């Protein structure tokens, strides 16, 4: 196994004997400058067929969060007989990292889907509950109980469907127009093949679903909304234009969450 790129101290991108790219986990394998040959005995775990955009994202996620995500997916597969794609580790790590960032900013968002998730997936909810306990144990961070359902839904939706979201052509057309608004208003070109873009699409699909079912977001931290509007007036105006594209007046809660996702998308695109 040859290491060609170090991602973290214990995570590297490798090429195996057949020329396949592999993300490898192993203690200290990322310390030495690549390229170099790595003994198989030094590798604890490998992941094949990892989307390249996930690899780029990994470098921006703390390694302890990636490890937590790995343990959560291992728990889910042990509990449910390997139902979930192991590469889900990477998207879940990004999701958990985003949740922790919101927590550190004292931003709490109550999602109306929580009770529905618990009702639809009474057995699988243990995945999210396990994740919260692990985050608290490993990082001394207590996330809101609602996050258990959000994490569970992420694992089910992304893990079983390999990130293929089934939508109507009408929904996709609306989202495409929203993306055009962002590109025009923020003066940039968004990479449609990036993981950032896929994550933004997921948020928009959930947004459309909430609007369709009249299930608005509820937030207990509207001071954060005022702060975001003050700090990012262009993103605020962009979000309001997106509301007009969707032919609805988005609530302050929806605008706040949308602003966070737009800011995250454009900051990495730039």
């Amino acid at each position: 196994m040859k290491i060609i790129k170090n991602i973290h101290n214990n995570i590297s991108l490798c090429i195996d004997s057949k020329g396949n790219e592999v993300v490898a986990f192993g203690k200290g394998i990322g310390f030495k400058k690549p390229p170099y040959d790595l003994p198989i005995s030094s590798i604890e775990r490998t992941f094949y067929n990892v989307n390249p955009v996930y690899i780029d994202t990994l470098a921006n996620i703390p390694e302890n969060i990636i490890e937590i995500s790995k343990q959560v997916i291992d728990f889910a597969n042990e509990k449910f007989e390997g139902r979930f794609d192991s590469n889900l580790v990477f998207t879940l790590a990004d999701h958990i990292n985003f949740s922790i960032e919101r927590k550190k900013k004292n931003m709490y968002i109550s999602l109306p889907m929580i009770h529905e998730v618990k009702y639809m997936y009474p057995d699988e909810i243990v995945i999210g509950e396990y994740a919260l306990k692990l985050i608290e144990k490993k990082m001394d961070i207590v996330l809101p109980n609602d996050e258990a359902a959000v994490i569970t839904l992420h694992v089910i939706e992304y893990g079983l469907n390999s990130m293929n979201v089934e939508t109507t052509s009408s929904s996709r057309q609306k989202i495409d127009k929203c993306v055009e608004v962002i590109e025009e208003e923020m003066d940039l070109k968004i990479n449609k093949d990036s993981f950032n873009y896929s994550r933004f699409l997921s948020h928009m699909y959930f947004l459309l679903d909430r609007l369709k079912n009249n299930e608005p977001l509820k937030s207990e931290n509207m001071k954060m909304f005022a702060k975001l509007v003050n700090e990012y007036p262009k993103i605020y105006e962009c979000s309001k234009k997106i509301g007009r594209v969707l032919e609805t007046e988005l609530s302050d809660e929806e605008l706040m969450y949308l602003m966070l996702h737009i800011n995250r998308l454009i900051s990495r695109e730039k």
Side-chain angles (χ1 to χ4, degrees), residues 75-125:
F75 169 83
N77 277 325
E78 181 179 346
K79 192 80 175 175
F80 297 99
E81 301 179 344
R83 282 170 51 190
F84 306 105
D85 183 352
S86 60
N87 285 354
L88 179 61
V89 164
F90 308 116
T91 61
L92 180 59
D94 185 76
H95 174 88
I96 292 174
N97 189 46
F98 192 34
S99 298
I100 290 174
E101 287 176 359
R102 292 202 314 269
K103 169 69 176 180
K104 290 179 177 177
K105 293 176 182 177
N106 295 316
M107 181 179 178
Y108 173 71
I109 296 176
S110 177
L111 298 174
M113 68 180 75
I114 298 306
H115 298 296
E116 285 81 352
V117 173
K118 289 183 177 180
Y119 176 77
M120 290 188 296
Y121 306 107
D123 297 326
E124 290 84 351
I125 193 68

Tab-separated table of all heavy atoms in Angstrom, residues 75-125:
chain	number	residue	atom	x	y	z
A	75	PHE	N	-21.591	0.876	15.157
A	75	PHE	CA	-22.689	0.521	16.068
A	75	PHE	C	-23.963	0.233	15.271
A	75	PHE	O	-24.663	-0.765	15.519
A	75	PHE	CB	-22.935	1.662	17.059
A	75	PHE	CG	-24.191	1.511	17.868
A	75	PHE	CD1	-24.210	0.723	19.017
A	75	PHE	CD2	-25.357	2.162	17.498
A	75	PHE	CE1	-25.375	0.581	19.766
A	75	PHE	CE2	-26.530	2.028	18.236
A	75	PHE	CZ	-26.532	1.235	19.381
A	76	ALA	N	-24.262	1.116	14.284
A	76	ALA	CA	-25.477	0.953	13.484
A	76	ALA	C	-25.448	-0.360	12.699
A	76	ALA	O	-26.450	-1.086	12.635
A	76	ALA	CB	-25.631	2.135	12.528
A	77	ASN	N	-24.306	-0.688	12.134
A	77	ASN	CA	-24.209	-1.918	11.340
A	77	ASN	C	-24.214	-3.170	12.206
A	77	ASN	O	-24.714	-4.219	11.798
A	77	ASN	CB	-22.952	-1.873	10.465
A	77	ASN	CG	-23.192	-1.090	9.188
A	77	ASN	OD1	-24.283	-1.133	8.629
A	77	ASN	ND2	-22.182	-0.371	8.719
A	78	GLU	N	-23.670	-3.052	13.408
A	78	GLU	CA	-23.716	-4.190	14.325
A	78	GLU	C	-25.146	-4.417	14.819
A	78	GLU	O	-25.615	-5.547	14.929
A	78	GLU	CB	-22.792	-3.929	15.519
A	78	GLU	CG	-22.752	-5.074	16.515
A	78	GLU	CD	-21.816	-4.799	17.680
A	78	GLU	OE1	-20.999	-3.859	17.589
A	78	GLU	OE2	-21.896	-5.516	18.685
A	79	LYS	N	-25.833	-3.322	15.053
A	79	LYS	CA	-27.202	-3.391	15.573
A	79	LYS	C	-28.192	-3.849	14.503
A	79	LYS	O	-29.159	-4.563	14.789
A	79	LYS	CB	-27.616	-2.006	16.096
A	79	LYS	CG	-28.872	-1.969	16.922
A	79	LYS	CD	-28.624	-2.412	18.334
A	79	LYS	CE	-29.875	-2.252	19.181
A	79	LYS	NZ	-29.686	-2.785	20.548
A	80	PHE	N	-27.941	-3.445	13.258
A	80	PHE	CA	-28.902	-3.711	12.190
A	80	PHE	C	-28.297	-4.529	11.047
A	80	PHE	O	-28.635	-4.332	9.880
A	80	PHE	CB	-29.481	-2.388	11.674
A	80	PHE	CG	-30.256	-1.642	12.711
A	80	PHE	CD1	-29.667	-0.593	13.411
A	80	PHE	CD2	-31.551	-1.998	13.029
A	80	PHE	CE1	-30.354	0.086	14.399
A	80	PHE	CE2	-32.259	-1.325	14.001
A	80	PHE	CZ	-31.663	-0.277	14.702
A	81	GLU	N	-27.396	-5.414	11.382
A	81	GLU	CA	-26.881	-6.440	10.471
A	81	GLU	C	-26.337	-5.862	9.154
A	81	GLU	O	-26.662	-6.338	8.063
A	81	GLU	CB	-27.970	-7.476	10.186
A	81	GLU	CG	-28.471	-8.169	11.453
A	81	GLU	CD	-29.574	-9.173	11.177
A	81	GLU	OE1	-30.162	-9.112	10.075
A	81	GLU	OE2	-29.856	-10.004	12.060
A	82	GLY	N	-25.522	-4.826	9.274
A	82	GLY	CA	-24.819	-4.297	8.111
A	82	GLY	C	-25.672	-3.610	7.076
A	82	GLY	O	-25.349	-3.635	5.886
A	83	ARG	N	-26.761	-2.976	7.496
A	83	ARG	CA	-27.665	-2.329	6.545
A	83	ARG	C	-27.078	-1.065	5.908
A	83	ARG	O	-27.528	-0.620	4.857
A	83	ARG	CB	-28.977	-1.939	7.242
A	83	ARG	CG	-29.937	-3.085	7.443
A	83	ARG	CD	-31.092	-2.676	8.354
A	83	ARG	NE	-31.735	-1.450	7.934
A	83	ARG	CZ	-32.634	-0.801	8.675
A	83	ARG	NH1	-32.961	-1.255	9.868
A	83	ARG	NH2	-33.202	0.300	8.226
A	84	PHE	N	-26.083	-0.475	6.560
A	84	PHE	CA	-25.650	0.854	6.142
A	84	PHE	C	-24.283	0.852	5.470
A	84	PHE	O	-23.377	0.111	5.863
A	84	PHE	CB	-25.642	1.793	7.348
A	84	PHE	CG	-26.960	1.835	8.074
A	84	PHE	CD1	-27.129	1.196	9.293
A	84	PHE	CD2	-28.042	2.481	7.506
A	84	PHE	CE1	-28.345	1.223	9.952
A	84	PHE	CE2	-29.266	2.509	8.155
A	84	PHE	CZ	-29.424	1.877	9.379
A	85	ASP	N	-24.142	1.704	4.467
A	85	ASP	CA	-22.894	1.860	3.738
A	85	ASP	C	-21.821	2.389	4.698
A	85	ASP	O	-22.006	3.429	5.318
A	85	ASP	CB	-23.120	2.850	2.584
A	85	ASP	CG	-21.894	3.026	1.716
A	85	ASP	OD1	-20.823	2.512	2.075
A	85	ASP	OD2	-22.012	3.705	0.676
A	86	SER	N	-20.700	1.695	4.782
A	86	SER	CA	-19.656	2.116	5.717
A	86	SER	C	-19.064	3.473	5.355
A	86	SER	O	-18.561	4.201	6.215
A	86	SER	CB	-18.542	1.065	5.775
A	86	SER	OG	-17.949	0.897	4.498
A	87	ASN	N	-19.128	3.848	4.067
A	87	ASN	CA	-18.608	5.150	3.648
A	87	ASN	C	-19.450	6.312	4.161
A	87	ASN	O	-19.081	7.483	4.015
A	87	ASN	CB	-18.508	5.225	2.128
A	87	ASN	CG	-17.333	4.418	1.601
A	87	ASN	OD1	-16.542	3.892	2.374
A	87	ASN	ND2	-17.223	4.313	0.297
A	88	LEU	N	-20.584	5.983	4.769
A	88	LEU	CA	-21.411	6.996	5.412
A	88	LEU	C	-20.641	7.709	6.528
A	88	LEU	O	-21.006	8.801	6.947
A	88	LEU	CB	-22.661	6.325	5.988
A	88	LEU	CG	-23.677	7.171	6.744
A	88	LEU	CD1	-24.259	8.244	5.828
A	88	LEU	CD2	-24.781	6.290	7.286
A	89	VAL	N	-19.562	7.098	6.991
A	89	VAL	CA	-18.701	7.703	8.013
A	89	VAL	C	-18.360	9.143	7.650
A	89	VAL	O	-18.365	10.032	8.503
A	89	VAL	CB	-17.396	6.887	8.166
A	89	VAL	CG1	-16.333	7.678	8.919
A	89	VAL	CG2	-17.668	5.580	8.887
A	90	PHE	N	-18.097	9.401	6.380
A	90	PHE	CA	-17.589	10.700	5.970
A	90	PHE	C	-18.676	11.774	5.950
A	90	PHE	O	-18.451	12.905	6.383
A	90	PHE	CB	-16.896	10.574	4.612
A	90	PHE	CG	-15.862	9.477	4.600
A	90	PHE	CD1	-15.999	8.368	3.776
A	90	PHE	CD2	-14.781	9.529	5.459
A	90	PHE	CE1	-15.059	7.354	3.796
A	90	PHE	CE2	-13.833	8.516	5.483
A	90	PHE	CZ	-13.972	7.428	4.649
A	91	THR	N	-19.869	11.443	5.433
A	91	THR	CA	-20.942	12.436	5.435
A	91	THR	C	-21.468	12.671	6.849
A	91	THR	O	-21.821	13.792	7.209
A	91	THR	CB	-22.107	12.006	4.519
A	91	THR	OG1	-22.660	10.776	4.980
A	91	THR	CG2	-21.635	11.849	3.100
A	92	LEU	N	-21.518	11.615	7.655
A	92	LEU	CA	-21.994	11.770	9.028
A	92	LEU	C	-21.021	12.622	9.846
A	92	LEU	O	-21.449	13.442	10.663
A	92	LEU	CB	-22.178	10.406	9.693
A	92	LEU	CG	-22.688	10.445	11.142
A	92	LEU	CD1	-24.047	11.143	11.220
A	92	LEU	CD2	-22.781	9.044	11.732
A	93	ALA	N	-19.727	12.451	9.616
A	93	ALA	CA	-18.734	13.265	10.323
A	93	ALA	C	-18.944	14.743	10.021
A	93	ALA	O	-18.874	15.597	10.908
A	93	ALA	CB	-17.323	12.836	9.936
A	94	ASP	N	-19.222	15.038	8.763
A	94	ASP	CA	-19.478	16.426	8.375
A	94	ASP	C	-20.737	16.956	9.051
A	94	ASP	O	-20.780	18.099	9.526
A	94	ASP	CB	-19.607	16.520	6.858
A	94	ASP	CG	-19.751	17.949	6.384
A	94	ASP	OD1	-18.740	18.670	6.366
A	94	ASP	OD2	-20.878	18.337	6.026
A	95	HIS	N	-21.771	16.123	9.103
A	95	HIS	CA	-23.024	16.510	9.752
A	95	HIS	C	-22.812	16.779	11.244
A	95	HIS	O	-23.276	17.797	11.775
A	95	HIS	CB	-24.063	15.404	9.569
A	95	HIS	CG	-25.330	15.645	10.315
A	95	HIS	ND1	-26.377	16.360	9.790
A	95	HIS	CD2	-25.708	15.300	11.573
A	95	HIS	CE1	-27.350	16.433	10.693
A	95	HIS	NE2	-26.967	15.794	11.766
A	96	ILE	N	-22.123	15.890	11.927
A	96	ILE	CA	-21.866	16.051	13.362
A	96	ILE	C	-21.030	17.302	13.615
A	96	ILE	O	-21.284	18.065	14.562
A	96	ILE	CB	-21.171	14.805	13.933
A	96	ILE	CG1	-22.140	13.612	13.920
A	96	ILE	CG2	-20.669	15.053	15.361
A	96	ILE	CD1	-21.513	12.292	14.329
A	97	ASN	N	-20.046	17.528	12.746
A	97	ASN	CA	-19.198	18.713	12.893
A	97	ASN	C	-20.028	19.995	12.799
A	97	ASN	O	-19.837	20.937	13.580
A	97	ASN	CB	-18.123	18.705	11.810
A	97	ASN	CG	-17.067	19.768	12.026
A	97	ASN	OD1	-16.559	19.947	13.138
A	97	ASN	ND2	-16.716	20.482	10.984
A	98	PHE	N	-20.968	20.014	11.868
A	98	PHE	CA	-21.841	21.180	11.698
A	98	PHE	C	-22.735	21.371	12.921
A	98	PHE	O	-22.953	22.500	13.381
A	98	PHE	CB	-22.684	21.003	10.437
A	98	PHE	CG	-23.409	22.247	10.003
A	98	PHE	CD1	-22.860	23.501	10.187
A	98	PHE	CD2	-24.644	22.154	9.397
A	98	PHE	CE1	-23.527	24.649	9.771
A	98	PHE	CE2	-25.325	23.286	8.977
A	98	PHE	CZ	-24.759	24.545	9.163
A	99	SER	N	-23.245	20.282	13.472
A	99	SER	CA	-24.088	20.355	14.664
A	99	SER	C	-23.300	20.912	15.852
A	99	SER	O	-23.815	21.720	16.637
A	99	SER	CB	-24.631	18.966	15.020
A	99	SER	OG	-25.445	18.464	13.995
A	100	ILE	N	-22.056	20.486	15.986
A	100	ILE	CA	-21.214	20.959	17.089
A	100	ILE	C	-20.871	22.437	16.909
A	100	ILE	O	-20.836	23.207	17.882
A	100	ILE	CB	-19.937	20.103	17.188
A	100	ILE	CG1	-20.306	18.698	17.689
A	100	ILE	CG2	-18.910	20.733	18.135
A	100	ILE	CD1	-19.159	17.719	17.696
A	101	GLU	N	-20.653	22.859	15.654
A	101	GLU	CA	-20.398	24.276	15.385
A	101	GLU	C	-21.589	25.120	15.830
A	101	GLU	O	-21.420	26.193	16.415
A	101	GLU	CB	-20.130	24.484	13.893
A	101	GLU	CG	-18.769	23.986	13.435
A	101	GLU	CD	-18.590	24.122	11.932
A	101	GLU	OE1	-19.534	24.581	11.255
A	101	GLU	OE2	-17.514	23.766	11.437
A	102	ARG	N	-22.804	24.664	15.522
A	102	ARG	CA	-24.001	25.402	15.947
A	102	ARG	C	-24.091	25.450	17.463
A	102	ARG	O	-24.462	26.467	18.047
A	102	ARG	CB	-25.257	24.741	15.370
A	102	ARG	CG	-25.383	24.847	13.874
A	102	ARG	CD	-26.841	24.669	13.427
A	102	ARG	NE	-27.500	23.551	14.056
A	102	ARG	CZ	-27.519	22.321	13.552
A	102	ARG	NH1	-26.887	22.056	12.423
A	102	ARG	NH2	-28.164	21.360	14.170
A	103	LYS	N	-23.770	24.338	18.106
A	103	LYS	CA	-23.816	24.277	19.564
A	103	LYS	C	-22.859	25.297	20.175
A	103	LYS	O	-23.211	26.000	21.128
A	103	LYS	CB	-23.445	22.862	20.024
A	103	LYS	CG	-23.193	22.706	21.518
A	103	LYS	CD	-24.454	22.864	22.332
A	103	LYS	CE	-24.181	22.604	23.796
A	103	LYS	NZ	-25.384	22.739	24.638
A	104	LYS	N	-21.665	25.390	19.638
A	104	LYS	CA	-20.673	26.330	20.165
A	104	LYS	C	-21.104	27.782	19.983
A	104	LYS	O	-20.671	28.658	20.723
A	104	LYS	CB	-19.319	26.079	19.498
A	104	LYS	CG	-18.664	24.771	19.931
A	104	LYS	CD	-17.329	24.547	19.225
A	104	LYS	CE	-16.665	23.277	19.726
A	104	LYS	NZ	-15.390	22.989	19.012
A	105	LYS	N	-21.960	28.013	18.981
A	105	LYS	CA	-22.478	29.362	18.744
A	105	LYS	C	-23.786	29.608	19.488
A	105	LYS	O	-24.445	30.623	19.289
A	105	LYS	CB	-22.701	29.574	17.247
A	105	LYS	CG	-21.406	29.582	16.433
A	105	LYS	CD	-21.705	29.704	14.954
A	105	LYS	CE	-20.423	29.666	14.132
A	105	LYS	NZ	-20.698	29.709	12.672
A	106	ASN	N	-24.146	28.634	20.354
A	106	ASN	CA	-25.392	28.725	21.134
A	106	ASN	C	-26.621	28.872	20.233
A	106	ASN	O	-27.556	29.601	20.546
A	106	ASN	CB	-25.340	29.887	22.121
A	106	ASN	CG	-24.283	29.681	23.183
A	106	ASN	OD1	-24.156	28.598	23.736
A	106	ASN	ND2	-23.513	30.722	23.459
A	107	MET	N	-26.571	28.177	19.128
A	107	MET	CA	-27.697	28.217	18.206
A	107	MET	C	-28.461	26.913	18.277
A	107	MET	O	-27.923	25.850	17.997
A	107	MET	CB	-27.198	28.446	16.781
A	107	MET	CG	-28.329	28.508	15.789
A	107	MET	SD	-27.751	28.795	14.124
A	107	MET	CE	-29.337	28.743	13.292
A	108	TYR	N	-29.734	27.011	18.664
A	108	TYR	CA	-30.563	25.815	18.797
A	108	TYR	C	-31.736	25.899	17.838
A	108	TYR	O	-32.451	26.895	17.802
A	108	TYR	CB	-31.087	25.678	20.218
A	108	TYR	CG	-32.087	24.555	20.387
A	108	TYR	CD1	-31.677	23.226	20.321
A	108	TYR	CD2	-33.438	24.825	20.582
A	108	TYR	CE1	-32.581	22.198	20.455
A	108	TYR	CE2	-34.353	23.794	20.715
A	108	TYR	CZ	-33.914	22.484	20.656
A	108	TYR	OH	-34.828	21.459	20.775
A	109	ILE	N	-31.929	24.873	17.037
A	109	ILE	CA	-33.040	24.819	16.095
A	109	ILE	C	-33.846	23.561	16.364
A	109	ILE	O	-33.311	22.457	16.358
A	109	ILE	CB	-32.541	24.811	14.641
A	109	ILE	CG1	-31.815	26.119	14.331
A	109	ILE	CG2	-33.694	24.630	13.671
A	109	ILE	CD1	-31.198	26.167	12.955
A	110	SER	N	-35.141	23.755	16.607
A	110	SER	CA	-36.023	22.616	16.840
A	110	SER	C	-36.653	22.217	15.504
A	110	SER	O	-37.277	23.030	14.841
A	110	SER	CB	-37.122	22.993	17.842
A	110	SER	OG	-38.016	21.920	18.016
A	111	LEU	N	-36.434	20.980	15.108
A	111	LEU	CA	-36.946	20.513	13.823
A	111	LEU	C	-38.269	19.781	14.009
A	111	LEU	O	-38.369	18.882	14.844
A	111	LEU	CB	-35.925	19.590	13.159
A	111	LEU	CG	-34.579	20.257	12.840
A	111	LEU	CD1	-33.596	19.222	12.319
A	111	LEU	CD2	-34.749	21.370	11.838
A	112	PRO	N	-39.302	20.127	13.220
A	112	PRO	CA	-40.623	19.521	13.383
A	112	PRO	C	-40.671	18.043	13.015
A	112	PRO	O	-41.651	17.382	13.275
A	112	PRO	CB	-41.493	20.356	12.431
A	112	PRO	CG	-40.550	20.895	11.420
A	112	PRO	CD	-39.266	21.141	12.162
A	113	MET	N	-39.602	17.525	12.402
A	113	MET	CA	-39.612	16.128	11.975
A	113	MET	C	-39.256	15.170	13.110
A	113	MET	O	-39.334	13.960	12.956
A	113	MET	CB	-38.629	15.921	10.831
A	113	MET	CG	-37.176	16.074	11.230
A	113	MET	SD	-36.029	15.822	9.862
A	113	MET	CE	-36.246	17.343	8.965
A	114	ILE	N	-38.858	15.697	14.262
A	114	ILE	CA	-38.349	14.861	15.339
A	114	ILE	C	-39.325	13.760	15.730
A	114	ILE	O	-38.976	12.587	15.760
A	114	ILE	CB	-38.013	15.718	16.576
A	114	ILE	CG1	-36.903	16.720	16.236
A	114	ILE	CG2	-37.608	14.840	17.741
A	114	ILE	CD1	-35.661	16.076	15.658
A	115	HIS	N	-40.557	14.115	16.024
A	115	HIS	CA	-41.530	13.123	16.484
A	115	HIS	C	-41.859	12.122	15.379
A	115	HIS	O	-42.069	10.938	15.650
A	115	HIS	CB	-42.795	13.817	16.986
A	115	HIS	CG	-42.568	14.711	18.165
A	115	HIS	ND1	-42.138	14.216	19.387
A	115	HIS	CD2	-42.661	16.051	18.305
A	115	HIS	CE1	-41.997	15.224	20.238
A	115	HIS	NE2	-42.304	16.346	19.605
A	116	GLU	N	-41.870	12.635	14.130
A	116	GLU	CA	-42.147	11.747	13.013
A	116	GLU	C	-41.043	10.696	12.864
A	116	GLU	O	-41.308	9.525	12.588
A	116	GLU	CB	-42.279	12.550	11.718
A	116	GLU	CG	-43.580	13.330	11.590
A	116	GLU	CD	-43.555	14.645	12.343
A	116	GLU	OE1	-42.587	14.884	13.085
A	116	GLU	OE2	-44.515	15.427	12.193
A	117	VAL	N	-39.795	11.123	13.047
A	117	VAL	CA	-38.672	10.192	12.937
A	117	VAL	C	-38.777	9.110	14.006
A	117	VAL	O	-38.587	7.924	13.741
A	117	VAL	CB	-37.321	10.933	13.052
A	117	VAL	CG1	-36.160	9.938	13.121
A	117	VAL	CG2	-37.131	11.866	11.869
A	118	LYS	N	-39.087	9.526	15.229
A	118	LYS	CA	-39.209	8.562	16.323
A	118	LYS	C	-40.366	7.596	16.069
A	118	LYS	O	-40.298	6.422	16.436
A	118	LYS	CB	-39.427	9.296	17.648
A	118	LYS	CG	-38.184	10.026	18.142
A	118	LYS	CD	-38.443	10.669	19.500
A	118	LYS	CE	-37.175	11.334	20.021
A	118	LYS	NZ	-37.384	11.965	21.342
A	119	TYR	N	-41.411	8.106	15.418
A	119	TYR	CA	-42.567	7.256	15.133
A	119	TYR	C	-42.267	6.286	13.991
A	119	TYR	O	-42.601	5.093	14.063
A	119	TYR	CB	-43.777	8.130	14.765
A	119	TYR	CG	-44.999	7.341	14.368
A	119	TYR	CD1	-45.798	6.720	15.343
A	119	TYR	CD2	-45.357	7.205	13.035
A	119	TYR	CE1	-46.918	5.985	14.978
A	119	TYR	CE2	-46.475	6.479	12.660
A	119	TYR	CZ	-47.249	5.868	13.639
A	119	TYR	OH	-48.360	5.149	13.268
A	120	MET	N	-41.609	6.810	12.936
A	120	MET	CA	-41.339	5.981	11.760
A	120	MET	C	-40.203	4.993	11.992
A	120	MET	O	-40.190	3.911	11.419
A	120	MET	CB	-41.005	6.879	10.562
A	120	MET	CG	-42.178	7.672	10.027
A	120	MET	SD	-41.765	8.534	8.478
A	120	MET	CE	-40.494	9.674	9.041
A	121	TYR	N	-39.244	5.380	12.838
A	121	TYR	CA	-38.062	4.539	13.054
A	121	TYR	C	-37.816	4.308	14.546
A	121	TYR	O	-36.806	4.743	15.100
A	121	TYR	CB	-36.833	5.187	12.409
A	121	TYR	CG	-37.003	5.514	10.953
A	121	TYR	CD1	-37.161	6.832	10.528
A	121	TYR	CD2	-37.009	4.510	9.991
A	121	TYR	CE1	-37.313	7.139	9.183
A	121	TYR	CE2	-37.173	4.801	8.639
A	121	TYR	CZ	-37.328	6.119	8.243
A	121	TYR	OH	-37.484	6.420	6.909
A	122	PRO	N	-38.762	3.650	15.219
A	122	PRO	CA	-38.642	3.451	16.668
A	122	PRO	C	-37.430	2.621	17.074
A	122	PRO	O	-36.898	2.791	18.178
A	122	PRO	CB	-39.949	2.742	17.034
A	122	PRO	CG	-40.380	2.062	15.769
A	122	PRO	CD	-39.974	2.990	14.675
A	123	ASP	N	-36.986	1.721	16.197
A	123	ASP	CA	-35.810	0.904	16.503
A	123	ASP	C	-34.509	1.650	16.170
A	123	ASP	O	-33.556	1.659	16.947
A	123	ASP	CB	-35.856	-0.413	15.717
A	123	ASP	CG	-37.049	-1.271	16.100
A	123	ASP	OD1	-37.442	-1.245	17.286
A	123	ASP	OD2	-37.592	-1.957	15.220
A	124	GLU	N	-34.507	2.306	15.011
A	124	GLU	CA	-33.290	2.962	14.536
A	124	GLU	C	-32.906	4.195	15.348
A	124	GLU	O	-31.760	4.647	15.293
A	124	GLU	CB	-33.453	3.351	13.063
A	124	GLU	CG	-33.477	2.178	12.101
A	124	GLU	CD	-34.843	1.541	11.956
A	124	GLU	OE1	-35.754	1.895	12.732
A	124	GLU	OE2	-35.008	0.686	11.057
A	125	ILE	N	-33.847	4.762	16.105
A	125	ILE	CA	-33.547	5.980	16.868
A	125	ILE	C	-32.390	5.760	17.840
A	125	ILE	O	-31.717	6.707	18.251
A	125	ILE	CB	-34.804	6.474	17.631
A	125	ILE	CG1	-34.604	7.908	18.159
A	125	ILE	CG2	-35.155	5.555	18.766
A	125	ILE	CD1	-34.524	8.948	17.089
